[in-house]
Amino acid sequence: MTLELLQAQARACTACRLAEGRTQVVFGEGNPDAQLMIVGEGPGEEEDKTGRPFVGKAGQLLNRILEAAGIPRESVYITNIVKCRPPGNRAPLPDEAKVCTDKWLLKQIELIAPQIIVPLGAVAAEFFLGEKVSITKVRGQWFEWHGIRVFPMFHPAYLLRNPSRTPGSPKHLTWLDIQEVKRALDALPPKERRQVKTVSQEPLF
């Protein structure tokens, strides 16, 4: 099995109700050998149109967050808990999330074999932590899931609704969080380490 074959299979998926309203399956994109995997909740309107994850306003902010930390987007793999857009951009329902993670996400993780996974938002964090959680309580902490380090962070869409950069604000905490992710990437064995640039000590996004 390859990611390409898995993606081709996913494009024909009708396993849950979300298939009824989609324009395109948003499977995921990025480095197939990525050490860092970012998992959001579900595609939005722009993602549904383009078939690419995180290309709308939240995706543009994610790009700036990664760039600010010196982590090239092309070095990571980005996907979502569900591959089809939920109606009205609502959160995926538990049965939708279970179907999609069982059929697609678990296989993506197996094929990519990341060493670090960053779930964005509560729905993604709940999948990896195995229980309902408050993202404000679990973000910025390390967990382990099947031998993979997991570090939940705020979803960029939440940051768009909370634009303040004052100390303690979601954006400020996200700046601290992404620097911790960068430190963890830098600490991986040399042969696996990504080349990243020196970054400023102030938020740039």
Side-chain angles (χ1 to χ4, degrees):
M1 175 63 71
T2 64
L3 276 176
E4 291 78 9
L5 180 56
L6 191 66
Q7 182 170 2
Q9 293 175 352
R11 285 177 177 151
C13 181
T14 57
C16 83
R17 66 180 73 84
L18 295 182
E20 299 168 7
R22 74 176 180 229
T23 302
Q24 296 192 65
V25 169
V26 183
F27 181 75
E29 69 176 24
N31 182 357
D33 295 316
Q35 292 174 299
L36 172 60
M37 188 172 189
I38 296 175
V39 181
E41 299 182 351
E45 182 178 6
E46 290 301 313
E47 291 77 13
D48 183 55
K49 288 178 181 178
T50 62
R52 297 180 58 211
F54 283 92
V55 293
K57 290 182 179 180
Q60 293 163 22
L61 178 53
L62 177 62
N63 290 346
R64 295 197 295 273
I65 292 168
L66 292 171
E67 182 180 3
I71 303 171
R73 174 168 169 144
E74 60 270 19
S75 73
V76 308
Y77 191 89
I78 303 176
T79 188
N80 285 295
I81 290 291
V82 297
K83 313 306 185 193
C84 300
R85 181 192 180 192
N89 289 354
R90 65 162 169 74
L93 300 178
D95 63 320
E96 298 163 350
K98 178 166 176 47
V99 167
C100 212
T101 52
D102 285 353
K103 285 183 69 67
W104 310 118
L105 180 61
L106 290 175
K107 293 175 184 175
Q108 285 175 301
I109 294 171
E110 182 180 358
L111 289 168
I112 296 164
Q115 290 166 277
I116 298 171
I117 294 177
V118 171
L120 299 177
V123 172
E126 287 167 7
F127 172 73
F128 292 101
L129 302 186
E131 61 182 342
K132 194 167 185 63
V133 297
S134 167
I135 192 63
T136 58
K137 293 182 179 178
V138 299
R139 57 130 294 272
Q141 300 181 56
W142 286 105
F143 300 88
E144 186 169 301
W145 179 83
H146 297 286
I148 301 171
R149 300 182 75 193
V150 173
F151 191 79
M153 290 175 49
F154 288 126
H155 196 287
Y158 179 70
L159 303 183
L160 291 174
R161 300 192 296 271
N162 297 272
S164 171
R165 298 181 184 177
T166 58
S169 67
K171 268 199 168 182
H172 178 255
L173 295 174
T174 295
W175 175 238
L176 300 178
D177 289 349
I178 197 64
Q179 290 183 91
E180 172 63 18
V181 171
K182 178 185 179 297
R183 280 192 288 270
L185 285 172
D186 285 348
L188 292 174
K191 67 174 183 178
E192 298 290 342
R193 185 178 298 165
R194 303 294 176 192
Q195 294 300 313
V196 294
K197 60 188 179 184
T198 302
V199 299
S200 163
Q201 293 307 304
E202 295 300 323
L204 302 178
F205 51 86

